[in-house]
Amino acid sequence: MTAVAPAPAASCGVRAAARIVAAPDGRGGTALPVLHGEGPLVPRRTRAARADTAQVTVVGAMSAPLGGDHLRLDARVLPGARLAVGSAAATVSLPGRDGARARYDVRLAVDEGAELRWLPEPLIAAAGSDLAMTTRVELAEGARLVLREELVLGRAGERPGRLVSRLTVRRGGRALLDQEVALGPGVPGWSGPAVLDRYRAMGQLLIADPWFEEHAPGVVALASDPAEGEAVLTPLAGPAVLVTALGRDALTVRRLLNAGQRAAAPPAG
Amino acid sequence: MTTTTATRAALLVLADGRFPAGGHAHSGGAEAAIAAGRVSDPASLEAFCRGRLGTAGLVAAALAAAAAAGANPLLLDEAADARTPSPALRMTARKLGRQMMRAARACWPSPALDALAAARPRGAHQPVVLGLAAAAAGLGPLDAAHAAAYEAVSGPATAAVRLLSLDPFDATAVLARLAPELDRVAELAVAAAESALDDLDALPAASAPLLEIAAEAHAAWPVRLFAS
């Protein structure tokens, strides 16, 4: 039902991989010994908000992903390094010629004492598109993570595409969060009153930080007016919080996630 | 995997709404959905149940099937936590697990149930306990998956009868219409559970954002008819 089928063999889509490795530069900053991209995925070093952090912006050099494409993005933050990754624009999932599903796999690893801020722009499922996205994160026990995911069903005034996104986060080898959202045509009940109802945009913001072990936050209701959107901040079973937000559009969801981040954020380390 | 005639009656006992495991006090999110005006008639109840079945129901069915198939219940319990971001829903699942444990140990005493009860005195996630109870009753993973999947929709349907004064015939007809999807979810759950014996990440993680958000709001209501 929501299980991700393997990508069809002999697909004619683009296969592209990008890789980022961040390491301390020995002068209090962060270097990028590996910064590699190809095809539609091009990571570039851009100006960072903090001197100790390396900022990377993923630039979509081509329109992607199209049906049949298989994209992969790997990032590793070595002990003590600080990496922030964003994207230049929203990612639009578009239908391919043969109706094949596209895949986008993100693999992130954050080592001891390292920090990753993974804050891409929204992923938009255009009408007729079909994308399976997986994000797997391996956190060391002393790692810090801020990760945002925003999913939008259809461009403005357009029917939704199909989007299955699974986010799996392990900390110290143990499951911290495992969530899959399956939305769009062919998914039973997705637009019903248990899943998205009339909302067409959803977002999640995960903050994992050892700081939460000593400062367990409570639940915060961020919005509950169906006209405005709905969002809640919840503490997970491990030292992490998750903000879940639903809204009519991406702007509403971003506003709710930002509110959640302000409500939860540990002091900057 | 299939139910033999020798154990079929045990499945009826386990899946009976009158099995004293506390399920009657829970609406599976239906009370919050009704208050929000999202569920108001048989059609919207069916849409709610279909969404819950494909998300929380599938996950519960896979956890139950994996437990019945012999996967490590403590790791399954951890996997259930990771799939339940809402603390209110985690607490509900453990409370129901504790009640299921009491009933199951009375009905089908087993060392596996004793061991889990000792390791999780405040309650393990209910589907994990359900799976061990099924195994103790001589049932297989597919039976455990069916019981968990059915519970995912029968709770909301029963609650809707009370909360909306819905015609019980209409509510039960919703369940009957969902029966083929229940079978399909149970089969998916068993396939996932078999893979999960090698790799727990093979367990489904289907989530329903509105159920998670509404559960927290509902838990904060000063007065409510159902505990969840």
Side-chain angles (χ1 to χ4, degrees), chain A residues 22-31 78-82:
Chain A
D25 66 2
R27 303 186 307 274
T30 295
L78 295 172
R82 303 176 73 118

Side-chain angles (χ1 to χ4, degrees), chain B:
Chain B
M1 274 289 145
T2 51
T3 304
T4 67
T5 45
T7 54
R8 186 171 294 152
L11 177 58
L12 295 178
V13 174
L14 183 63
D16 191 335
R18 287 159 293 190
F19 189 74
H24 63 277
H26 296 265
S27 77
E31 184 167 32
I34 287 166
R38 293 193 161 112
V39 170
S40 56
D41 56 17
S44 48
L45 174 64
E46 184 169 337
F48 178 87
C49 287
R50 181 168 286 117
R52 187 163 199 262
L53 175 63
T55 53
L58 173 64
V59 173
L63 288 167
N72 180 332
L74 296 179
L75 291 179
L76 291 176
D77 196 52
E78 197 174 286
D81 261 350
R83 285 158 175 76
T84 318
S86 153
L89 290 181
R90 288 198 297 274
M91 201 176 74
T92 295
R94 292 191 180 284
K95 200 164 127 191
L96 285 169
R98 196 166 65 235
Q99 289 172 281
M100 169 66 71
M101 179 64 83
R102 287 181 62 193
R105 288 171 93 187
C107 297
W108 303 287
S110 93
L113 286 170
D114 293 345
L116 181 58
R120 291 283 180 276
R122 295 170 67 193
H125 278 258
Q126 191 264 9
V128 181
V129 184
L130 175 66
L132 290 187
L139 297 165
L142 185 59
D143 301 314
H146 267 111
Y150 179 62
E151 201 173 70
V153 292
S154 63
T158 309
V161 171
R162 289 179 65 186
L163 292 164
L164 286 172
S165 301
L166 207 64
D167 186 332
F169 290 137
D170 288 339
T172 308
V174 165
L175 296 178
R177 279 196 295 277
L178 287 170
E181 287 174 63
L182 280 159
D183 288 335
R184 203 167 64 84
V185 163
E187 280 157 20
L188 276 173
V190 168
E194 279 169 5
S195 307
L197 292 176
D198 297 322
D199 173 15
L200 272 190
D201 287 346
L203 288 171
S207 74
L210 267 177
L211 287 181
E212 297 281 338
I213 294 173
E216 289 302 330
H218 182 263
W221 291 6
V223 180
R224 54 190 195 263
L225 199 54
F226 289 89
S228 74

Side-chain angles (χ1 to χ4, degrees), chain A:
Chain A
M1 156 159 321
T2 56
V4 174
S11 159
C12 56
V14 169
R15 299 180 74 85
R19 188 162 157 75
I20 306 165
V21 177
D25 66 2
R27 303 186 307 274
T30 295
L32 297 171
V34 178
L35 188 64
H36 167 80
E38 63 187 7
L41 287 178
V42 181
R44 292 211 178 109
R45 184 162 192 163
T46 46
R47 182 191 288 270
R50 292 169 54 122
D52 57 0
T53 302
Q55 172 78 45
V56 169
T57 302
V58 179
V59 180
M62 307 192 305
S63 184
L66 293 171
D69 288 359
H70 189 170
L71 309 182
R72 179 165 169 135
L73 184 47
D74 281 76
R76 175 162 210 119
V77 192
L78 295 172
R82 303 176 73 118
L83 175 66
V85 179
S87 59
T91 300
V92 183
S93 168
L94 294 165
R97 283 187 191 164
D98 54 1
R101 172 175 295 178
R103 293 191 59 105
Y104 192 173
D105 297 313
V106 175
R107 299 291 177 266
L108 308 173
V110 191
D111 292 343
E112 280 300 330
E115 179 183 283
L116 174 62
R117 301 173 67 81
W118 187 264
L119 301 168
E121 294 305 303
L123 175 57
I124 303 171
S129 67
D130 186 3
L131 173 67
M133 174 146 187
T134 65
T135 305
R136 295 179 68 97
V137 189
E138 294 284 346
L139 297 177
E141 286 191 11
R144 293 186 306 276
L145 172 74
V146 180
L147 181 148
R148 180 175 70 207
E149 178 185 70
E150 294 163 325
L151 308 174
V152 182
L153 277 291
R155 290 170 291 195
E158 181 185 62
R159 285 178 300 109
R162 188 174 130 92
L163 184 55
V164 179
S165 178
R166 183 158 183 172
L167 171 61
T168 305
V169 183
R170 295 183 156 273
R171 176 176 177 270
R174 300 175 62 182
L176 176 67
L177 178 70
D178 203 338
Q179 291 272 280
E180 180 178 274
V181 284
L183 306 169
V187 180
W190 76 273
S191 59
V195 185
L196 272 204
D197 201 26
R198 289 177 189 157
Y199 295 120
R200 287 299 172 264
M202 78 159 286
Q204 302 189 94
L205 181 89
L206 172 70
I207 307 175
D209 193 311
W211 186 79
F212 287 123
E213 291 188 38
E214 310 272 309
H215 307 84
V219 171
V220 182
L222 296 161
S224 56
D225 174 2
E228 281 292 298
E230 292 175 62
V232 68
L233 180 153
T234 51
L236 300 183
V241 299
L242 182 72
V243 184
T244 307
L246 301 175
R248 274 183 306 186
D249 53 36
L251 278 177
T252 309
V253 165
R254 175 66 61 87
R255 191 165 45 73
L256 293 170
L257 293 182
N258 285 347
Q261 190 171 9
R262 283 192 300 274

